[in-house]
């Protein structure tokens, strides 16, 4: 009995466009082609485009059961009327393993348009295919060993890319750069592990040569530093590159936080009112900021940002406001940059000073001296971290954008480095770094007796790196990763 996976089908092209693609993958791909496409030559050549018509299988002349190996040619002389066709298509069969999924893959290139593509897909489903789930083609490519998990994740990053920089990083991951770095790190961990396990097997032969201990320590230190740097690259740039820079706008009620967000987006996205306490929930607004001046020859480089409007922070808050303030504080703990808004007519009040002191110290921040259009606005302190602006009149916003870009420049100019762009990868690298640092600590404390401990930690480190590549990874983890994908990818 065959244990082959079902044949799956989905619309694989995005919305719009003159041409759309329906993709079918699995053992029945060829027999489905023979059931619904006409004409299909008997000696159908792999990876070659053919012109033909697709018919719903119910309109097909009688055809035998469509098991994997009974790909019968369409009977000659029984040509169907093209006027009854679903669509005229170019179709291509890519026989496994030389295909995206490693299985037989059939692609139907039909006319674009959601309705037409849906009918093409229906013909495939009626001919025996099952509707594919999100990311199921890429999941099959991973399970067939065509790509490792870092490359599968790069496919999702590529599709979600909001900037040229994100696209470049995704392409590099897709080419296997991160996978190769991880494989090399794992090779070095396993090499060290073999050395320590050898000592476990032959304790009498334990090498107490101080030069050997020093060499192992040096190797561990080097590995730890590299893993840590790679793990940190997510916070320092990968997150910004893949999802956009998160900027939290905070301050007391009524200082103009929501007005500033609207001014920066150029449209009314959040509520503004003269009454304090207007914003209760945090609100996320996506926007694209030009990073470089545009000229006629070249479009500007755009930085995708997520502006986060938050509830005004103040002492005498109602129960509901306090809830909003708590939510705001939780959200700003994950932001890449903090914009603290001050009402320039009041200057830095004692409450402002306290709020400023309570902000996470490790996050870049700017103070926005707002409402400078108003009479009696106080002079701001003369420092580079204060920007004067008027959300109402739009003054100072270009300076603000420029200053933000300068502050984030170190994170955004890391085109040459391999970056980690998923939280899963970053978490596994952090766990690897922890295991390596514990191995290092054990080796430094008791160089003669640490063998068991060091071997144990190295085993953990090797396992985490394997997980990163996708070995021994649990179904649930795969489900979570591929649920990010769209259907058809
Ligand atoms: N003159 C002047 N008024 C401003 C400026 N920015 C905001 N305002 C006004 O200040 C009031 C409060 O603005 P909001 O943007 O709602 O302030 P907020 O900080 O979001 O307030 P909460 O949501 O209540 O915390 C509104 O009446 C705005 O029109 C500015 O630059 N100049
Ligand atoms: Mg507000």
């Amino acid at each position: 009995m065959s244990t082959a996976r079902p044949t799956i089908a989905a619309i694989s092209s995005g919305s719009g466009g003159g041409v759309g693609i329906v993709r079918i993958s699995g053992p029945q791909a060829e027999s489905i082609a023979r059931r619904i496409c006409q004409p299909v030559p008997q000696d159908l050549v792999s990876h070659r485009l053919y012109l033909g018509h697709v018919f719903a299988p119910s309109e097909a002349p009688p055809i035998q059961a469509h098991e994997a190996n009974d790909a019968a040619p369409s009977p000659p002389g029984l040509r169907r009327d093209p006027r009854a066709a679903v669509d005229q298509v170019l179709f291509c069969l890519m026989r496994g393993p030389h295909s995206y999924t490693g299985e037989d893959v059939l692609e139907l290139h039909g006319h674009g348009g959601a309705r037409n593509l849906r009918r093409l897909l229906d013909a495939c489903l009626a001919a025996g295919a099952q509707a594919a789930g999100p990311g199921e083609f890429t999941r099959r490519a991973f399970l067939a060993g065509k790509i490792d998990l870092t490359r599968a994740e790069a496919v999702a990053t590529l599709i979600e890319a909001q900037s040229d920089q994100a696209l470049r990083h995704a392409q590099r991951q897709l080419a296997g750069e991160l996978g190769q770095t991880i494989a090399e790190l794992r090779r070095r961990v396993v090499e060290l592990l073999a050395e320590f396990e050898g000592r476990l097997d032959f304790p009498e032969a334990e090498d107490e040569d101080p030069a050997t201990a020093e060499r192992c320590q040096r190797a561990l230190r080097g590995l730890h530093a590299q893993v840590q740097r790679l793990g940190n690259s997510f916070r320092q740039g990968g997150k910004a590159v893949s999802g956009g820079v998160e900027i939290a706008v905070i301050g007391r009620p009524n200082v103009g936080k929501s007005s500033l967000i609207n001014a920066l987006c150029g449209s009314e996205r959040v509520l503004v009112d003269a009454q304090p306490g207007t914003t209760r929930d945090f609100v996320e607004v996506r926007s694209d900021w030009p990073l470089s001046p545009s000229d006629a020859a070249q479009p500007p480089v755009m930085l995708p940002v997520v502006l986060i409007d938050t509830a005004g922070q103040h002492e005498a808050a109602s129960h509901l406001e306090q809830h909003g303030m708590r939510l705001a504080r939780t959200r700003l703990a994950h932001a890449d940059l903090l914009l603290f808004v001050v009402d320039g007519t009041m200057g830095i009040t004692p409450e402002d000073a306290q709020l400023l002191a309570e902000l996470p110290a490790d996050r870049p921040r700017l103070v926005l001296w707002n409402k400078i259009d108003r009479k009696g606005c106080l002079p701001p302190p003369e420092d580079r971290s204060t920007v004067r602006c008027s959300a109402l009149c739009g003054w100072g916003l270009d300076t603000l954008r420029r200053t933000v870009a300068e502050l984030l420049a170190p994170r955004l100019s890391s085109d040459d480095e391999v970056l980690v762009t998923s939280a899963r990868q970053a978490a596994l690298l952090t766990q690897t770094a922890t295991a390596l640092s514990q191995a290092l600590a054990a080796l430094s404390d008791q160089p003669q007796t640490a063998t068991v401990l060091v071997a144990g930690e190295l085993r953990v480190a090797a396992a985490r790196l394997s997980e990163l590549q996708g070995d021994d990874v649990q179904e649930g983890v795969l489900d979570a990763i591929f649920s990010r994908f769209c259907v058809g990818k």
Side-chain angles (χ1 to χ4, degrees):
M1 199 184 82
S2 165
T3 55
R5 275 195 286 266
T7 298
I8 50 169
I11 298 167
S12 280
S13 49
S15 58
V19 176
I21 297 175
V22 172
R23 189 193 259 167
I24 300 108
S25 176
Q28 292 182 28
E30 183 165 351
S31 62
I32 289 174
R34 294 187 184 281
R35 276 201 85 190
I36 65 172
C37 299
Q38 202 177 42
V40 179
Q42 195 150 9
D43 51 348
L44 184 62
V45 179
S46 184
H47 293 80
R48 180 177 291 176
L49 275 178
Y50 292 93
L51 179 65
H53 285 92
V54 166
F55 294 86
S58 57
E59 291 155 27
I63 282 182
Q64 302 303 306
H66 48 274
E67 292 308 318
N69 295 321
D70 73 345
S74 309
L78 278 176
R79 286 241 166 166
R80 282 166 270 176
D81 182 353
R83 285 172 303 180
V86 174
D87 193 14
Q88 186 174 36
V89 300
L90 282 168
F91 64 92
C92 177
L93 179 75
M94 289 160 270
R95 290 200 179 91
H98 306 294
S99 68
Y100 182 63
T101 59
E103 306 173 323
D104 285 358
V105 169
L106 172 69
E107 280 187 5
L108 306 175
H109 299 212
H111 293 93
R115 231 167 222 282
N116 189 49
L117 292 172
R118 179 68 230 187
R119 287 186 68 213
L120 281 175
L121 175 62
D122 284 345
C124 300
L125 300 180
Q130 289 184 12
E136 205 172 341
F137 294 101
T138 308
R139 188 175 185 144
R140 288 189 177 196
F142 162 69
L143 292 173
K146 301 287 288 185
I147 51 175
D148 72 8
L149 208 48
T150 61
R151 288 174 66 193
E153 284 172 292
V155 175
T157 311
L158 188 84
I159 294 168
E160 288 167 2
Q162 305 266 349
S163 67
D164 288 350
Q165 201 187 20
L167 210 55
R168 273 197 301 277
H169 278 288
Q171 290 285 11
R172 286 172 59 173
Q173 274 198 22
L174 197 56
E177 211 173 336
L178 178 63
Q180 283 156 14
T181 307
I182 303 293
E184 172 59 16
L185 285 169
R186 189 170 177 277
R187 189 194 60 74
R188 284 164 55 197
V189 169
V190 170
E191 209 171 80
L192 260 181
L193 177 60
E195 196 164 320
F196 281 88
E197 281 186 333
R199 294 186 203 176
L200 282 177
D201 291 340
F202 302 101
E204 66 283 359
E206 191 157 328
D207 191 352
E208 291 179 7
D209 176 9
T212 306
E214 174 53 30
R215 178 177 55 75
C216 289
Q217 280 196 20
R218 215 175 324 118
L220 263 176
R221 232 177 277 127
L223 267 170
H224 177 256
Q226 204 179 337
V227 169
Q228 203 169 36
R229 199 166 53 244
L230 199 55
N232 286 347
S233 73
F234 179 63
R235 253 201 70 70
Q236 289 164 352
K239 185 168 154 240
V241 162
S242 60
V245 178
E246 293 184 350
I247 302 176
V249 181
I250 44 193
R252 287 186 303 103
N254 233 27
V255 290
K257 302 180 293 300
S258 303
S259 306
L260 184 79
I261 291 200
N262 287 340
L264 286 169
C265 296
S267 64
E268 197 179 338
R269 305 292 296 273
V270 284
L271 288 176
V272 166
D273 197 81
Q275 287 290 320
T278 308
T279 307
R280 299 283 175 94
D281 265 339
F282 67 79
V283 185
E284 299 185 356
V285 182
R286 281 198 163 270
S287 174
D288 285 315
W289 289 6
L291 268 184
S292 57
S294 59
D295 57 48
Q298 280 213 323
V301 175
M302 302 303 276
L303 171 68
V305 296
V306 180
L307 291 165
I308 306 159
D309 193 10
T310 62
Q313 306 276 322
H314 66 123
E315 289 256 311
S318 67
H319 180 70
L320 193 63
E321 281 177 309
Q322 280 178 16
H323 196 150
M325 284 161 55
R326 264 198 309 279
L327 278 180
R329 281 197 293 270
T330 318
R331 189 62 189 82
L332 70 86
H334 303 288
D336 298 295
L337 179 84
L338 310 177
L339 294 185
F340 188 84
V341 186
V342 168
D343 184 333
T345 62
M346 300 169 86
I348 302 225
T349 66
E351 215 171 353
D352 283 326
Q354 191 181 337
L355 287 172
L356 271 167
E358 287 167 0
L359 293 182
D362 62 342
R363 223 48 55 80
R365 66 174 78 169
L366 286 174
V367 172
L368 296 188
W369 203 265
N370 193 29
K371 306 195 184 182
I372 55 168
D373 59 289
R374 282 185 64 182
K375 248 187 164 167
C377 181
L378 301 168
E382 287 294 327
D383 61 41
R384 286 178 56 79
S385 62
T386 304
V387 177
R388 301 164 74 242
C389 67
S390 164
L392 195 71
C393 306
W395 299 343
L397 300 187
D398 283 343
T399 310
L400 171 62
R401 289 195 189 94
R402 215 172 30 248
T403 315
V404 166
E406 276 166 21
L407 262 178
L408 296 172
R411 293 175 179 217
L412 301 171
S413 59
S414 47
D415 254 9
D416 294 342
E417 269 179 52
V418 181
L419 279 188
V420 167
T421 51
S422 100
R424 181 194 82 92
Q425 296 165 351
L428 285 169
L429 284 165
T430 306
Q431 290 166 24
T432 310
T434 306
L436 291 172
S437 89
Q438 278 165 2
L440 198 55
L443 202 59
S444 315
D445 290 349
Q446 315 140 346
Q448 316 304 337
T449 56
T451 310
V452 178
L453 279 175
V454 175
E457 296 297 348
L458 286 174
R459 242 174 262 129
V460 173
R464 293 297 92 85
L465 291 173
S466 291
E467 242 180 277
L468 232 158
Q469 293 172 292
D471 299 340
D472 300 328
V473 67
Q474 292 174 353
E475 279 292 300
V477 175
L478 292 183
D479 289 345
I481 291 171
F482 288 102
S483 64
R484 273 176 68 199
F485 284 66
C486 44
V487 171
K489 196 60 217 179

